[in-house]
Amino acid sequence: MTRYLLVTLLLLLASCQPAVSGPVTTTPAVTVKDPWARPAMAGPMGMTSAVYFVVVNEGPDADALIGATTDVAGRVELHETRRRGDVMEMSPVSEVEIPPRGQVTFQPGGLHVMLMDLKRDLKVGDSFNLTLRFRKAGDIKITVHVREGGM
Amino acid sequence: MRLWVLAGIAAAVTALAVLGTVLLLAGRDPDLPVQTTLPDIQLVDHTDQPFSLAQARGKVVVLGLVYTHCPDICPLITYRMQSIKDQLARQGLDSGVLFLTVTFDPERDTPEALRAYIAAHNLDTRNWRFLTGNPETIASLTELLGFYTERVSPVGQSAGAATGGSALDIPYFITHSDRFYLVDKLGRVRASLPGSRTDVEQAVRLIRRLTQEAP
């Protein structure tokens, strides 16, 4: 009887142990917060949209956003709008460095992911998937919500 | 000679616009000097109806300039104009104010494209017309206002130079001024607001002043 109780107790204790085998999960160094996009219509008029978000790098090394893909657009580019006096000029950028233990904000009037040749309408309230490609962190898939918004 | 006169007017309008913008960004309400008078040009609205700027006389006009392929700044300008329109409606001032948005990309921005833009941004078109028209006519308006536009291709080259032919052969974007204008009941431009950075409350105060002027 004593042996039976001892075995039962050992089994109960074993069931309370945290798992020590299998993959070890760690917090990823790069995360993406608050993604959203402007509404735009697809079709022959070929409107464009822009995606905004915040990239947070909690790691000790710099990383870089080097591209993006989505099935809602035929062409996806990283762009930056810059102010020159009261003139706004927009140009593509090949990559955006994300500093170690820092963050970069993609926002109206600045950095954004440009969606061209839209395959479907992006209406307020819709959402779609976007994959951001980082040099070190690899691909990060995010869900982007469509809404209006200002600076 | 005519070119020199136009250039002089555009330079004066630009100088006044810059001064006004500096005051606006400093949080001070500027005086509202006459900068120029809108020409009586013929355009087409988003419902395919002809529209003459002279039709706006008797109302205060909030005049914006955008292009629908602009993903970043033009939606902000439109968003600011919609916010001003909403504020005016709440204050019961909207019936005396007409909102006009003129495209500076008329080759692509047909009335159908303007309708798509309105639908995409869910805009209330009561008292708001979106206008397109002859490219030369619209270029004369932007020149008069000193509103800068320049086509660029996605790779940063001049679109026209990059193609060696029609600039519509490849996609292009447009580097442009970030402003919109307040026009009095006589069709005179009285203020240039800093576009996407416009303070909505301040704009409403200026519009109120213009609505109180005798026609």
Side-chain angles (χ1 to χ4, degrees), chain B residues 103-127:
Chain B
T103 176
F104 48 84
D105 186 18
E107 288 91 342
R108 291 188 296 190
D109 285 342
T110 61
E112 184 185 3
L114 297 176
R115 287 195 291 274
Y117 186 79
I118 290 165
H121 294 285
N122 195 25
L123 300 170
D124 175 7
T125 54
R126 283 173 298 177
N127 297 336

Side-chain angles (χ1 to χ4, degrees), chain A residues 48 52 81 83 86 88 92 148, chain B residues 69 71-72 121 154 176 178-179:
Chain A
T48 55
Y52 308 102
T81 302
R83 178 174 295 281
D86 89 325
M88 306 302 290
E148 292 286 1
Chain B
H69 283 68
D72 195 31
H121 294 285
H176 60 87
D178 179 20
R179 294 185 206 163

Side-chain angles (χ1 to χ4, degrees), chain A residues 15 17 38 44 50 52 58 61 81-82 100 120 149:
Chain A
S15 70
Q17 293 282 325
R38 289 198 183 286
Y52 308 102
E58 294 183 274
D61 302 314
T81 302
R82 292 190 190 90
R120 67 173 173 90

Side-chain angles (χ1 to χ4, degrees), chain A residues 64-117:
Chain A
L65 178 62
I66 56 175
T69 56
T70 176
D71 60 4
V72 303
R75 187 167 172 177
V76 184
E77 294 181 358
L78 307 179
H79 277 235
E80 183 172 23
T81 302
R82 292 190 190 90
R83 178 174 295 281
R84 180 165 48 85
D86 89 325
V87 172
M88 306 302 290
E89 51 191 9
M90 188 174 62
S91 56
V93 292
S94 57
E95 62 179 63
V96 178
E97 183 177 310
I98 315 297
R101 306 197 197 288
Q103 66 179 42
V104 174
T105 302
F106 288 65
Q107 62 187 345
L111 289 164
H112 53 276
V113 173
M114 175 90 84
L115 306 181
M116 293 172 273
D117 184 22

Side-chain angles (χ1 to χ4, degrees), chain A residues 6 9 18 21 31 42 55 58 80 82 87 121 132 139 141:
Chain A
L6 190 61
L9 188 62
S21 60
T31 52
V55 183
E58 294 183 274
E80 183 172 23
R82 292 190 190 90
V87 172
D121 296 346
L132 298 175
D139 288 354
K141 291 182 181 177

